[in-house]
Amino acid sequence: NLLLFLLEGIKQESWLYETYSGTMNIGIMRFNLTLIFFAMFLIANAQDIKKKTTKNRYPSYKETYYVLKQDESIRHGDYQKAGKEGLLVKGQYENGNRSGVWEYYGWQGELEQKYDFSTKELLYDKYINKSPNNSEQSEYNRSAIFLGGMSSIYRNFPSQLRYPADARRYGIEGKVYVTATITKDGRMINEKVTKGIGGGCDEEALRVIKLVPDNWIPALDKNNQPVESEITLPITFKLG
């Protein structure tokens, strides 16, 4: 306890009060009282936290995080999310908001993305093509990126996708391609099927894509300014 530590320090230095003049004694006492009041301020403003663990069955993952004891709806402290393949997400909360550097991991446990929420800066993304030749051919300096990594989108699809009855009845399998626009402020709009397979799969793919949250980092043009861009997301339908 910081307060007890400071009080003990005052006891150990009590000989100073007998050695020096009254003026010096008063100065030392004032200094120690300042330390005590400072310690009391820190203790009064300290955040008392409680560890929480939650589990999800499908998709399977476990979250470990901390909340404020006075309000357990507010996360505060370290956060981890892990699945069958290992660590998925690692970061920290500050009074309910993500802060500092967060790390997101892919299917094989490899680091897929790092993002600094304090500076709002993308530090790393596995799928950014850094080849100068390809960069010159593209109209963007950087394509739109999903905050959290593309793996986090596709992890949720198995639990969200409902195989259409007609497609199941007629044995329809394949990929449906959905395009969408990512706005300058990171929203996904204008979703539409550009290549379908029928049997209700096209409508289902569009429904699932529209469930993706608006957590996009917009594309950057040649001047590193946010711009609207188009993306394509394939959805696979395969009978088990």
Side-chain angles (χ1 to χ4, degrees):
N1 187 294
L2 182 57
L3 183 57
L4 291 177
F5 173 79
L6 291 173
L7 290 172
E8 183 62 28
I10 293 173
K11 288 181 181 179
Q12 292 177 1
E13 295 178 1
S14 61
W15 61 273
L16 287 173
Y17 302 145
E18 300 173 0
T19 304
Y20 293 96
S21 66
T23 301
M24 181 62 75
N25 287 339
I26 292 172
I28 294 172
M29 290 176 68
R30 285 177 177 172
F31 174 73
N32 283 316
L33 284 172
T34 300
L35 288 179
I36 291 172
F37 285 127
F38 179 67
M40 292 174 68
F41 172 80
L42 291 178
I43 293 168
N45 287 275
Q47 300 279 25
D48 201 5
I49 59 176
K50 175 181 178 181
K51 186 176 181 179
K52 301 274 283 187
T53 301
T54 60
K55 294 182 179 180
N56 193 70
R57 292 189 62 185
Y58 195 64
S60 178
Y61 63 80
K62 181 177 75 171
E63 291 179 295
T64 304
Y65 54 93
Y66 293 83
V67 297
L68 298 181
K69 282 188 177 180
Q70 61 268 35
D71 186 349
E72 295 191 9
S73 67
I74 300 177
R75 296 185 181 189
H76 187 82
D78 292 342
Y79 171 88
Q80 280 196 1
K81 182 178 181 180
K84 291 180 179 179
E85 62 269 42
L87 185 62
L88 303 178
V89 185
K90 181 172 69 173
Q92 55 278 327
Y93 281 91
E94 186 173 342
N95 291 319
N97 298 310
R98 287 177 287 186
S99 67
V101 176
W102 280 59
E103 298 179 353
Y104 301 90
Y105 294 84
W107 296 101
Q108 306 300 321
E110 76 283 7
L111 180 64
E112 184 173 328
Q113 189 181 100
K114 289 178 71 174
Y115 187 83
D116 191 330
F117 282 90
S118 298
T119 61
K120 300 187 184 305
E121 180 184 5
L122 179 68
L123 304 177
Y124 170 79
D125 190 279
K126 177 183 177 181
Y127 297 106
I128 290 181
N129 194 329
K130 299 181 179 179
S131 169
N133 293 331
N134 288 336
S135 178
E136 289 173 3
Q137 294 171 7
S138 172
E139 59 182 303
Y140 307 116
N141 197 30
R142 187 193 70 199
S143 300
I145 298 168
F146 187 74
L147 182 53
M150 291 302 295
S151 296
S152 65
I153 292 180
Y154 283 95
R155 280 192 188 100
N156 290 323
F157 284 168
S159 63
Q160 296 170 338
L161 200 66
R162 301 166 189 161
Y163 217 102
D166 285 348
R168 188 178 295 278
R169 184 180 301 113
Y170 296 110
I172 296 174
E173 296 182 331
K175 288 186 178 181
V176 177
Y177 292 85
V178 179
T179 62
T181 299
I182 304 301
T183 65
K184 291 191 290 185
D185 58 354
R187 293 179 297 114
M188 185 169 67
I189 61 174
N190 301 331
E191 302 92 339
K192 59 183 178 181
V193 175
T194 53
K195 184 180 179 182
I197 57 177
C201 295
D202 303 351
E203 294 80 3
E204 179 61 11
L206 189 60
R207 182 191 70 82
V208 169
I209 288 297
K210 288 184 176 182
L211 295 177
V212 175
D214 289 329
N215 292 339
W216 293 87
I217 303 171
L220 299 178
D221 63 15
K222 292 297 184 178
N223 297 316
N224 284 326
Q225 296 301 310
V227 291
E228 283 194 353
S229 63
E230 192 173 84
I231 62 166
T232 300
L233 297 171
I235 304 292
T236 300
F237 289 83
K238 186 172 179 61
L239 292 166

